[in-house]
Amino acid sequence: MSQVIAPIQNTNNIRYADFVRIVTPSTEYRFSTAPTAITVPAVDALPFDGLGQLIGIGKVQRDIKSTANQTTITLVGIDTALLGVVLNGNLKGAQITMWKGFFNTDGSLITSGGSGGLYQYFYGFINTFNIGEQWMEEVRMYVGTVTVSAANIQMILQNRTVGRFTNDASWEYFTPGDTSMNRVATISTIYYAFGQNS
């Protein structure tokens, strides 16, 4: 399945921005590497905040088939007083979706193609995040940095644990009333002297 993306066809001048949505149990965050807020109704009714150069998106492996990979997102320039929002936001385990959007020479988002002009390239969940601070000479103060690491859904499914424990509680959780594991605890304490003369 091949998809032609008109803004990057037959040109060497490509303008694009990354759009990110993070969904936590308590709230949703929307931001982009564009310099201004942009609303894309086909993806989300609320606008993506334009954070521009304050965001760094890591590399994402792009293959024809679904591949297990992960990426990082770094937000720089956060007021250190707001870092508590990150700590209280239940970021670990939050759903994350990322898109690319392309712009014409006038700086307008091209909306013909993809989902309202956005092309999804990553869907997964946040597995770790790191909070730090650094000195910014331009503003003569310390600012916060948040680095988020996210694994795509393929990697999560690849690393999941499946199966059952061989005990009554686990077995009856899947099949109530099943007594096939009732004697496992007793048998596990018996020593069988196989191969020995009595």
Side-chain angles (χ1 to χ4, degrees):
M1 179 173 89
S2 167
Q3 186 173 15
V4 176
I5 302 174
I8 63 173
Q9 193 176 28
N10 302 321
T11 182
N12 59 1
N13 189 3
I14 302 170
R15 296 176 179 89
Y16 70 90
D18 291 292
F19 293 79
V20 180
R21 179 174 59 203
I22 298 174
V23 180
T24 70
S26 56
T27 188
E28 291 187 18
Y29 301 98
R30 296 165 198 82
F31 48 86
S32 75
T33 57
T36 59
I38 297 174
T39 303
V40 184
V43 172
D44 202 312
L46 297 173
F48 289 88
D49 294 331
L51 301 182
Q53 298 293 326
L54 299 178
I55 298 177
I57 307 285
K59 292 183 179 179
V60 176
Q61 184 176 340
R62 293 174 180 89
D63 292 334
I64 293 173
K65 62 178 182 148
S66 181
T67 308
N69 62 66
Q70 63 181 28
T71 189
T72 58
I73 300 171
T74 303
L75 291 104
V76 182
I78 300 171
D79 184 352
T80 51
L82 297 175
L83 290 179
V85 174
V86 176
L87 291 172
N88 297 327
N90 296 325
L91 277 183
K92 194 167 184 179
Q95 173 189 318
I96 182 169
T97 311
M98 293 192 280
W99 299 266
K100 284 235 189 273
F102 297 93
F103 298 85
N104 61 20
T105 54
D106 299 331
S108 300
L109 181 68
I110 299 171
T111 58
S112 59
S115 297
L118 299 187
Y119 298 85
Q120 182 178 329
Y121 67 91
F122 188 88
Y123 172 76
F125 294 88
I126 294 173
N127 49 17
T128 61
F129 66 93
N130 182 27
I131 297 175
E133 62 180 15
Q134 67 183 41
W135 176 259
M136 283 190 80
E137 190 63 34
E138 296 84 6
V139 293
R140 308 273 311 146
M141 63 182 282
Y142 282 101
V143 295
T145 60
V146 177
T147 303
V148 170
S149 176
N152 74 350
I153 194 69
Q154 178 78 13
M155 181 174 277
I156 292 168
L157 291 175
Q158 179 180 339
N159 293 332
R160 72 186 177 133
T161 304
V162 296
R164 300 182 194 181
F165 294 105
T166 52
N167 61 38
D168 292 335
S170 177
W171 212 256
E172 290 189 23
Y173 175 80
F174 293 99
T175 313
D178 188 351
T179 60
S180 56
M181 292 294 155
N182 284 355
R183 296 190 39 81
V184 170
T186 306
I187 293 171
S188 67
T189 61
I190 299 174
Y191 175 73
Y192 294 99
F194 291 109
Q196 291 183 356
N197 293 332
S198 45

